[in-house]
Amino acid sequence: MESINFAKGYGKVNPTEESKSNPIPPPNRRGRRIIIALSLVLLLLTLLIASLTTVLIRRSASKSNSSQLASNSADSLKTVCSVTRYPDSCLSSLSPLNSPPSSNPLRFFNLSLHASLLEVTSLKSQLPESGAAMKVCAEMFDDAASQLGNSADSICVGPGEEVLTEMRVSDLQTWISASLTDLDTCLDELAEMGSTAVGEWRVKVQRTMEYISNTLAILNNIPSLFQKFGLKMP
């Protein structure tokens, strides 16, 4: 019996003793460094790709928003100019000034006002000094520039201050109308002049009057324009 038991147990090794006698060798230091380096490279590449993707998406969205804003602004400008007597001169005078693009009726009024003031100032600088009619026109241009300048100063208000109060709108209407009267007086003087230069100057003065007329029309219709655009009056 004892010999049988001995035979059954012969040649068997304890699993615990086997694992101790044959341990799994750990990775060497060089291998660890390579693995860590590759992991860092992959992480950096991932971050770089994510950053570039974000930049491209933002640029694409920015271009799309800018294009949409410019398109909306152009449509708004056409709507504003449609309330004037001279929509073509309104568009031609305000389009170059509308940068950055805006859809605010008050800004369009401000741009039209400044375009009118620039035209009057330009007329004054080109006016010949000879002739009684030219002297009268020079005086009228000075007064028109003063009236438009008062208008521009009037809408430069502080933060939180209401711009288009009833009294301010009334003053603006008075000043802008007065500048139109000034230029009309100049036209009357030129008509009596009987000079070959009359035709050329009448065209220049008439164009300036169109700018001023457009400015007054925008002002008179500004409440309805704000309503059309779904904006609150400032």
Side-chain angles (χ1 to χ4, degrees), residues 32 37 49 55 135 184 188 195 199:
R32 289 179 179 177
I49 293 172
V55 170
K135 289 182 180 179
D184 195 46
D188 291 340
S195 169

Side-chain angles (χ1 to χ4, degrees), residues 60-121:
S60 177
S62 177
K63 288 181 180 179
S64 177
N65 291 338
S66 298
S67 177
Q68 184 177 4
L69 179 60
S71 176
N72 292 341
S73 179
D75 291 339
S76 298
L77 179 56
K78 289 179 182 178
T79 301
V80 169
C81 289
S82 69
V83 305
T84 68
R85 288 186 61 187
Y86 309 101
D88 290 340
S89 65
C90 176
L91 287 170
S92 64
S93 64
L94 299 190
S95 293
L97 302 177
N98 188 31
S99 180
S102 172
S103 297
N104 190 312
L106 181 59
R107 174 172 166 79
F108 288 132
F109 166 73
N110 196 13
L111 292 177
S112 184
L113 179 60
H114 280 82
S116 300
L117 182 55
L118 288 174
E119 279 292 306
V120 171
T121 304

Side-chain angles (χ1 to χ4, degrees), residues 20-36:
K20 288 181 179 180
S21 62
N22 299 298
I24 299 173
N28 57 36
R29 293 182 179 179
R30 184 178 179 184
R32 289 179 179 177
R33 289 176 180 175
I34 293 174
I35 293 172
I36 293 173

Side-chain angles (χ1 to χ4, degrees), residues 5-232:
N5 290 338
F6 177 79
K8 288 181 179 180
Y10 182 78
K12 291 186 178 180
V13 180
N14 192 315
T16 304
E17 293 179 353
E18 182 179 5
S19 63
K20 288 181 179 180
S21 62
N22 299 298
I24 299 173
N28 57 36
R29 293 182 179 179
R30 184 178 179 184
R32 289 179 179 177
R33 289 176 180 175
I34 293 174
I35 293 172
I36 293 173
L38 289 175
S39 299
L40 288 175
V41 170
L42 289 174
L43 177 61
L44 290 174
L45 285 175
T46 303
L47 292 175
L48 179 60
I49 293 172
S51 298
L52 289 175
T53 303
T54 302
V55 170
L56 291 174
I57 291 173
R58 287 181 178 176
R59 285 183 179 178
S60 177
S62 177
K63 288 181 180 179
S64 177
N65 291 338
S66 298
S67 177
Q68 184 177 4
L69 179 60
S71 176
N72 292 341
S73 179
D75 291 339
S76 298
L77 179 56
K78 289 179 182 178
T79 301
V80 169
C81 289
S82 69
V83 305
T84 68
R85 288 186 61 187
Y86 309 101
D88 290 340
S89 65
C90 176
L91 287 170
S92 64
S93 64
L94 299 190
S95 293
L97 302 177
N98 188 31
S99 180
S102 172
S103 297
N104 190 312
L106 181 59
R107 174 172 166 79
F108 288 132
F109 166 73
N110 196 13
L111 292 177
S112 184
L113 179 60
H114 280 82
S116 300
L117 182 55
L118 288 174
E119 279 292 306
V120 171
T121 304
S122 176
L123 279 179
K124 176 65 167 55
S125 66
Q126 301 174 45
L127 193 66
E129 296 181 359
S130 60
M134 292 302 181
K135 289 182 180 179
V136 172
C137 284
E139 293 176 1
M140 295 298 101
F141 293 162
D142 281 339
D143 189 69
S146 177
Q147 303 287 358
L148 295 174
N150 289 339
S151 301
D153 291 340
S154 140
I155 58 176
C156 293
V157 300
E161 184 178 351
E162 187 177 355
V163 181
L164 298 175
T165 62
E166 185 176 348
M167 180 176 295
R168 183 171 286 117
V169 169
S170 178
D171 288 340
L172 288 169
Q173 290 170 332
T174 299
W175 292 327
I176 298 172
S177 297
S179 67
L180 270 178
T181 302
D182 287 333
L183 267 65
D184 195 46
T185 300
C186 173
L187 284 180
D188 291 340
E189 290 294 324
L190 290 174
E192 298 175 5
M193 186 176 174
S195 169
T196 55
V198 170
E200 177 186 351
W201 273 97
R202 283 185 66 88
V203 171
K204 292 181 178 180
V205 175
Q206 182 61 46
R207 183 181 64 185
T208 306
M209 290 183 69
E210 288 182 5
Y211 285 14
I212 299 174
S213 172
N214 291 339
T215 303
L216 185 60
I218 294 172
L219 175 64
N220 291 338
N221 290 275
I222 209 162
S224 62
L225 289 172
F226 270 97
Q227 187 175 6
K228 281 183 181 180
F229 297 158
L231 299 175
K232 184 180 178 180

